C-alpha cells in the first residue's frame, strides 16, 4: 500500500482516560528522538476527542487501548474517519490479543506486542510514501486483505529506549503535570500464570524468551532525576507487576535511589516475594506502602481457579514481615468469581482483617475475553458463548457482573461495602442485609468513600481536585 502524504507529517496519539500512559509515552519518545516532532495527544475523557483530532488533521492516528475501551474507541474512530482520513493504527493490550480489530472499517493496522520500533518503522514508511504492509508486529489492511506479520521479539535491553515522553501529556493536562505522585516502570514482564491475566499468553508469543527484563539502576536514576528537576514530584509509584521479583535488581537500585532521589515511593509486589531482608531494605529506603494482589481469601479459589500460586501461609508470612517493619499494605481483591459463594467472599474480607491491611481495593470480577479464566467461564456456563470485547462491561467498579450464577447480585453489592466490612466488622450484620437490596447510586457513592479518604490521607492531589475526581467516578461508575 502506497500513500502520498504532506511534508508536515503529524501523528495523533489517543487514549480514553486523562492519564500518562507510559507505554504510549515510550512510543512517542522513540518517534520524537527520530525526527517526528509534530506529535500530540488527545483524551477520550476530555469530551472533545473527535473534534480535536479532526481539527488537528493528523497523518497517523495511534490509539492505545485496553480491551474494555475498544467499543467506544471504534465508535470515535468511525466518526473521525467520516471527516478526515488518517492512517489509523491501534496498539496496546487490546491490539495484541485482538489483532483482527484491523478488520473494522475505521482501522488500518493493529500493532502486536511492544510498539516502539514497529510504530517508528510505520511512520518512516508512511512519510516516504512507501509500502508499509510487511512491517513486523503489524497486521495491515491493504487492497481488501489483511497482511498478518509476525510479532518482533521483545526488546531485550530496555536501556536502549529513550525516556518516556511525558511532556506531551503534561502540555495537555495541568493536572497530570502538577500531580505530586508520578509513575515509573523499572521492568517489563511478569512470570506468573494467573488465569485472569494475559501475561502467560503474552510471554508464549515470544516463546517465553526475554519476557521479564529490567532497566539498569543508572537508567532509572537518570530518568527520575529528569522528572524531579522539571516537574512537581513528591512520591513515586513503581508500576511493575512485581517490583521485588528480582532481589539482585532491588538491592542494587534502592540504595542509590535513597541517596540520589530520596523521596517516598510505592510498589506492587507479592506476599511470597517478601523476605525480612527485602522488607528492611524497603523500609530503610523510603517505601511508603505496597500494593499486593490477594484476589481471593479462599485458597482453593485463589490457586485452582485464579492460578495465583499463593498459599495462605505465604500471605500470612509475608504480611507479618511487612507489619513488623511498619510497611503499609494495600490489597487488590475480586468478588463475584466463577462459582464463588458468599461464604468464600467473606473469607476474603476476613483474611484482609487478619493481616491488618490499611486499604483493600475490591472490584467485581470481569473476565477479560480470551484469557484462560474467561474460557473457563464460557465452558462451565458462567458466561454466554458469544462473550467478547464488544459486549463485556466497560467498568470493573460499577457493581455489575456478566456472570450467571447463584447470589451474583449479592456478591456484586458486597464489593461496594467490603472495605467497611474489613475495618468496621461490627457493621457486618447490617452489610449482610444491605446486599439483599438492588444496586443503587447510594451504594456507588459509599464505595468511593474509602478511596477518597485514602487519597486525601496520602495527599495524592489537592483536596478539591480529589473531591471532584471521586464524585465523577461515583456518577460515571468508571475509572
Amino acid at each position: 500500500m502506497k500513500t502520498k502524504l504532506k511534508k508536515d507529517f503529524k501523528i495523533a496519539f489517543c487514549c480514553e482516560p486523562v492519564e500518562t500512559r507510559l507505554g504510549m509515552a515510550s512510543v512517542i519518545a522513540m518517534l520524537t528522538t527520530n525526527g517526528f516532532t509534530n506529535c500530540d495527544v488527545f483524551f477520550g475523557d476530555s469530551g472533545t476527542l473527535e473534534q480535536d483530532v479532526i481539527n488537528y488533521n493528523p497523518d497517523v492516528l495511534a490509539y492505545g487501548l485496553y480491551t474494555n475501551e475498544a467499543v467506544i474507541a471504534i465508535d470515535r474512530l468511525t466518526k473521525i474517519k467520516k471527516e478526515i482520513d488518517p492512517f489509523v493504527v491501534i496498539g496496546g493490550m487490546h491490539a495484541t490479543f485482538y489483532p483482527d480489530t484491523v478488520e473494522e472499517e475505521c482501522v488500518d493496522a493493529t500493532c502486536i506486542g511492544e510498539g516502539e520500533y514497529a510504530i517508528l518503522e510505520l511512520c518512516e514508511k508512511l512519510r516516504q510514501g512507501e509500502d508499509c504492509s510487511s512491517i513486523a508486529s503489524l497486521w495491515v489492511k491493504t487492497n481488501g486483505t489483511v497482511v498478518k506479520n509476525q510479532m518482533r521479539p521483545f526488546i531485550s535491553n530496555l536501556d536502549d529506549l529513550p525516556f518516556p515522553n511525558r511532556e506531551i501529556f503534561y502540555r495537555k493536562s495541568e493536572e497530570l503535570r502538577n500531580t505530586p505522585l508520578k509513575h515509573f516502570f523499572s521492568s517489563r514482564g511478569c512470570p506468573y500464570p494467573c488465569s485472569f491475566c494475559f501475561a502467560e499468553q503474552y510471554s508464549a508469543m515470544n516463546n517465553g524468551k526475554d519476557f521479564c527484563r529490567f532497566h539498569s539502576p543508572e537508567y532509572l536514576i537518570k530518568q527520575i532525576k529528569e522528572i524531579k528537576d522539571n516537574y512537581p514530584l513528591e512520591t513515586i509509584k513503581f508500576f511493575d507487576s512485581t517490583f521485588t521479583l528480582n532481589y539482585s535488581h532491588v538491592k542494587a537500585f534502592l540504595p542509590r535511589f535513597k541517596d540520589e532521589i530520596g523521596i517516598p515511593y510505592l510498589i506492587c509486589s507479592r506476599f511470597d516475594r517478601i523476605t525480612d531482608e527485602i522488607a528492611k531494605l524497603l523500609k530503610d529506603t523510603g517505601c511508603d506502602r505496597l500494593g499486593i494482589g490477594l484476589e481471593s481469601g479462599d485458597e482453593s479459589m485463589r490457586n485452582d481457579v485464579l492460578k495465583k500460586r499463593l498459599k495462605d501461609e505465604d500471605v500470612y508470612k509475608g504480611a507479618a514481615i511487612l507489619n513488623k517493619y511498619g510497611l503499609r499494605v494495600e490489597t487488590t481483591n475480586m468478588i463475584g468469581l466463577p462459582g464463588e459463594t458468599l461464604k468464600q467472599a467473606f473469607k476474603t474480607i476476613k483474611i484482609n482483617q487478619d493481616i491488618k491491611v490499611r486499604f483493600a481495593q475490591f472490584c467485581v470480577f470481569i473476565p477479560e475475553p480470551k484469557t484462560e479464566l474467561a474460557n473457563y467461564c464460557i465452558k462451565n456456563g458462567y458466561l454466554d458463548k458469544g462473550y467478547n470485547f464488544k459486549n463485556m462491561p466497560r467498568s470493573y467498579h460499577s457493581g455489575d457482573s456478566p456472570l450467571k450464577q447463584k447470589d451474583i447480585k449479592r456478591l456484586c453489592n458486597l464489593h461496594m461495602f467490603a472495605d467497611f466490612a474489613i475495618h468496621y466488622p461490627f457493621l457486618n450484620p447490617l452489610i449482610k442485609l444491605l446486599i439483599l437490596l438492588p444496586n443503587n447510586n447510594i451504594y456507588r457513592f459509599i464505595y468511593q468513600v474509602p478511596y477518597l479518604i485514602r487519597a486525601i490521607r496520602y495527599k495524592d492531589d489537592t483536596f478539591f481536585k480529589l473531591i471532584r475526581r471521586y464524585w465523577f467516578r461515583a456518577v460515571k461508575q468508571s475509572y
Side-chain angles (χ1 to χ4, degrees):
M1 179 173 65
K2 290 189 176 183
T3 56
K4 292 182 179 180
L5 297 172
K6 55 192 176 184
K7 294 180 181 179
D8 182 22
F9 195 84
K10 296 181 181 179
I11 308 168
F13 286 85
C14 301
C15 63
E16 284 304 308
V18 180
E19 65 182 22
T20 306
R21 288 201 164 168
L22 292 178
M24 182 178 289
S26 183
V27 174
I28 295 170
M30 180 63 74
L31 290 169
T32 54
T33 56
N34 282 276
F36 291 93
T37 57
N38 202 343
C39 300
D40 207 345
V41 64
F42 302 90
F43 303 111
D45 282 349
S46 69
T48 59
L49 182 147
E50 294 93 323
Q51 191 57 53
D52 290 344
V53 171
I54 291 168
N55 293 342
Y56 185 61
N57 194 20
D59 298 284
V60 175
L61 193 167
Y63 218 128
L65 293 175
Y66 291 107
T67 294
N68 63 321
E69 300 167 341
V71 170
I72 191 169
I74 290 170
D75 180 63
R76 295 189 198 281
L77 289 170
T78 299
K79 294 174 183 176
I80 291 169
K81 278 281 199 173
K82 289 180 179 178
E83 302 296 329
I84 58 175
D85 190 27
F87 186 98
V88 172
V89 55
I90 287 179
M93 294 308 296
H94 176 75
T96 296
F97 293 97
Y98 277 94
D100 54 356
T101 304
V102 71
E103 295 173 3
E104 296 285 342
E105 186 177 352
C106 59
V107 179
D108 299 296
T110 45
C111 181
I112 305 167
E114 296 170 331
E116 286 88 351
Y117 292 106
I119 301 301
L120 173 62
E121 185 177 349
L122 171 68
C123 290
E124 287 174 338
K125 288 186 177 297
L126 288 175
R127 183 168 61 177
Q128 297 300 322
E130 297 176 359
D131 179 74
C132 64
S133 62
S134 60
I135 298 173
S137 290
L138 296 187
W139 282 24
V140 183
K141 190 186 301 174
T142 179
N143 299 323
T145 62
V146 175
V147 180
K148 303 177 182 180
N149 298 294
Q150 291 294 311
M151 187 182 82
R152 62 186 69 205
F154 292 134
I155 299 166
S156 58
N157 185 1
L158 297 182
D159 285 2
D160 288 341
L161 297 172
F163 297 153
N165 186 324
R166 299 166 186 259
E167 173 60 24
I168 194 170
F169 292 86
Y170 297 165
R171 289 202 307 261
K172 277 299 183 69
S173 170
E174 181 181 346
E175 185 172 347
L176 292 179
R177 182 189 188 280
N178 293 332
T179 181
L181 187 152
K182 292 181 171 64
H183 297 164
F184 292 81
F185 278 103
S186 73
S187 66
R188 290 185 182 183
C190 176
Y192 297 101
C194 302
S195 61
F196 55 90
C197 179
F198 284 116
E200 188 173 38
Q201 296 177 50
Y202 193 20
S203 177
M205 293 170 70
N206 197 48
N207 297 316
K209 298 177 182 177
D210 296 324
F211 190 44
C212 295
R213 296 144 291 153
F214 301 84
H215 283 295
S216 68
E218 293 76 17
Y219 180 100
L220 290 169
I221 295 296
K222 188 176 180 181
Q223 181 188 168
I224 295 168
K225 280 184 175 179
E226 183 178 283
I227 299 302
K228 188 169 183 274
D229 290 344
N230 292 283
Y231 307 102
L233 182 62
E234 298 176 11
T235 307
I236 285 172
K237 181 169 184 178
F238 291 104
F239 231 52
D240 314 54
S241 59
T242 308
F243 182 81
T244 57
L245 178 66
N246 184 330
Y247 291 154
S248 297
H249 181 262
V250 171
K251 292 174 186 178
F253 169 63
L254 286 182
R256 288 194 57 179
F257 175 86
K258 178 183 179 182
D259 292 341
E260 300 183 47
I261 306 297
I263 61 176
Y265 65 93
L266 292 62
I267 66 169
C268 300
S269 188
R270 285 173 55 101
F271 287 110
D272 58 357
R273 295 304 297 170
I274 298 297
T275 65
D276 195 277
E277 180 185 13
I278 291 296
K280 185 177 186 302
L281 179 63
L282 293 172
K283 183 66 174 181
D284 291 346
T285 56
C287 183
D288 182 71
R289 58 193 189 272
L290 298 86
I292 301 182
L294 175 63
E295 313 310 351
S296 174
D298 184 88
E299 188 174 79
S300 176
M301 179 67 71
R302 189 188 318 124
N303 292 327
D304 297 339
V305 178
L306 301 181
K307 308 291 179 68
K308 280 284 292 184
R309 293 183 179 175
L310 184 67
K311 298 178 181 178
D312 282 352
E313 63 185 83
D314 298 324
V315 174
Y316 285 102
K317 180 180 177 181
I321 294 171
L322 294 170
N323 288 328
K324 171 185 173 182
Y325 286 97
L327 289 161
R328 295 182 286 195
V329 178
E330 301 181 348
T331 59
T332 57
N333 308 266
M334 292 186 284
I335 284 185
L337 293 162
E340 185 178 39
T341 64
L342 283 166
K343 182 178 180 180
Q344 288 174 311
F346 274 100
K347 285 179 70 175
T348 304
I349 291 170
K350 178 64 166 58
I351 198 170
N352 276 282
Q353 290 173 333
D354 291 344
I355 63 177
K356 299 179 174 62
V357 300
R358 296 298 181 94
F359 175 77
Q361 175 178 302
F362 279 77
C363 67
V364 172
F365 168 63
I366 304 296
E368 287 283 342
K370 294 193 176 183
T371 58
E372 179 184 346
L373 193 50
N375 294 336
Y376 169 89
C377 289
I378 293 171
K379 180 180 178 180
N380 289 277
Y382 297 112
L383 284 173
D384 293 330
K385 291 183 177 180
Y387 182 77
N388 57 47
F389 77 87
K390 292 186 176 181
N391 55 36
M392 71 177 292
R394 186 185 174 199
S395 172
Y396 301 99
H397 302 269
S398 67
D400 296 320
S401 170
L403 269 61
K404 299 180 294 183
Q405 64 184 48
K406 183 181 178 182
D407 287 331
I408 191 62
K409 297 292 186 183
R410 296 181 186 183
L411 288 165
C412 290
N413 280 344
L414 179 58
H415 108 280
M416 300 281 191
F417 298 96
D419 192 71
F420 288 98
I422 292 168
H423 294 103
Y424 309 101
F426 65 88
L427 292 175
N428 283 359
L430 174 61
I431 289 172
K432 288 179 180 180
L433 293 175
L434 290 173
I435 65 175
L436 300 176
L437 302 176
N439 188 358
N440 58 73
N441 287 333
I442 295 175
Y443 287 8
R444 284 186 276 274
F445 279 102
I446 289 172
Y447 175 69
Q448 294 295 338
V449 170
Y451 289 89
L452 175 60
I453 293 172
R454 166 180 171 265
I456 293 172
R457 179 183 299 158
Y458 295 147
K459 299 179 181 178
D460 288 347
D461 213 325
T462 65
F463 177 79
F464 290 108
K465 285 183 178 178
L466 290 171
I467 292 291
R468 184 185 65 186
R469 182 185 307 164
Y470 287 94
W471 173 272
F472 175 82
R473 289 180 179 180
V475 171
K476 296 294 184 180
Q477 307 173 33
S478 64
Y479 279 160

